[in-house]
Amino acid sequence: TYGQTDDELVDAVEISHHLPDTRTQQYYEMTGKYDQFAWGWDDANLNGNSLNDYSSENPPPYLINSVPTSDNRTKYENMRVDTDARYKRARRMIFVSMANRLISAFEAFIATRMHNKHIDDQERTVLSRIRLKASLKSYSLRQDTPFVTFTYKF
């Protein structure tokens, strides 16, 4: 009919989604996910016929009744399923490693506390007699020489 675009001539039931103008993640997800884009795969065929076998006089059947098959589309969908599974596994491992670190920190706190309770009084007095003092001194205009003073009281 005069004045109608190709999009207006297509049955609205078949076309439920529109591809974005740029080839983003959504673009590639939609081409593999929705049957209306099945003819876009280079190896798509329906009953042994490729898209080149159809014309305006011999149009392909409606997608509602039959969807072309494509080994490339199947391979792509399998890759997406595998990627999603690996992403979920990686995400779980992040949580496991975070939990491991929290448990290790708590265990280290408990172990240190128990160890410190068992240090006898003699060891504590020895440690309390040690003093360290850090400072910067200079023999010129700049204070650029580090000094460490170690003191032990008898």
Side-chain angles (χ1 to χ4, degrees), residues 121-146:
D121 291 334
Q122 183 181 8
E123 288 179 0
R124 285 184 195 223
T125 57
V126 169
L127 292 176
S128 66
R129 294 179 192 175
I130 298 174
R131 298 275 184 246
L132 283 175
K133 181 181 175 188
S135 63
L136 288 175
K137 296 182 181 177
S138 180
Y139 296 104
S140 63
L141 296 176
R142 295 174 47 198
Q143 292 186 345
D144 58 357
T145 307

Side-chain angles (χ1 to χ4, degrees), residues 36-47:
Q36 74 188 49
F37 304 115
W39 279 114
W41 292 91
D42 62 351
D43 64 339
N45 73 60
L46 182 63
N47 301 325

Side-chain angles (χ1 to χ4, degrees), residues 17-34:
H17 296 84
H18 295 280
L19 289 175
D21 293 334
T22 58
R23 294 190 177 196
T24 60
Q25 180 271 341
Q26 185 181 15
Y27 174 90
Y28 291 104
E29 181 177 353
M30 290 175 73
T31 59
K33 186 176 184 180
Y34 296 108

Side-chain angles (χ1 to χ4, degrees), residues 65-137:
N65 301 328
S66 53
V67 177
T69 60
S70 166
D71 290 339
N72 289 340
R73 181 181 182 197
T74 303
K75 180 180 177 183
Y76 171 77
E77 283 300 306
N78 289 336
M79 288 168 60
R80 284 194 54 81
V81 168
D82 185 50
T83 300
D84 289 342
R86 288 174 188 241
Y87 175 74
K88 287 177 185 176
R89 188 178 318 133
R91 195 169 176 190
R92 274 193 305 262
M93 290 310 297
I94 288 172
F95 286 115
V96 167
S97 67
M98 288 172 50
N100 180 20
R101 282 177 172 67
L102 286 172
I103 291 168
S104 295
F106 183 71
E107 190 273 333
F109 171 75
I110 297 296
T112 302
R113 198 163 178 203
M114 290 176 63
H115 175 74
N116 287 343
K117 283 183 180 180
H118 295 299
I119 295 176
D120 63 8
D121 291 334
Q122 183 181 8
E123 288 179 0
R124 285 184 195 223
T125 57
V126 169
L127 292 176
S128 66
R129 294 179 192 175
I130 298 174
R131 298 275 184 246
L132 283 175
K133 181 181 175 188
S135 63
L136 288 175
K137 296 182 181 177

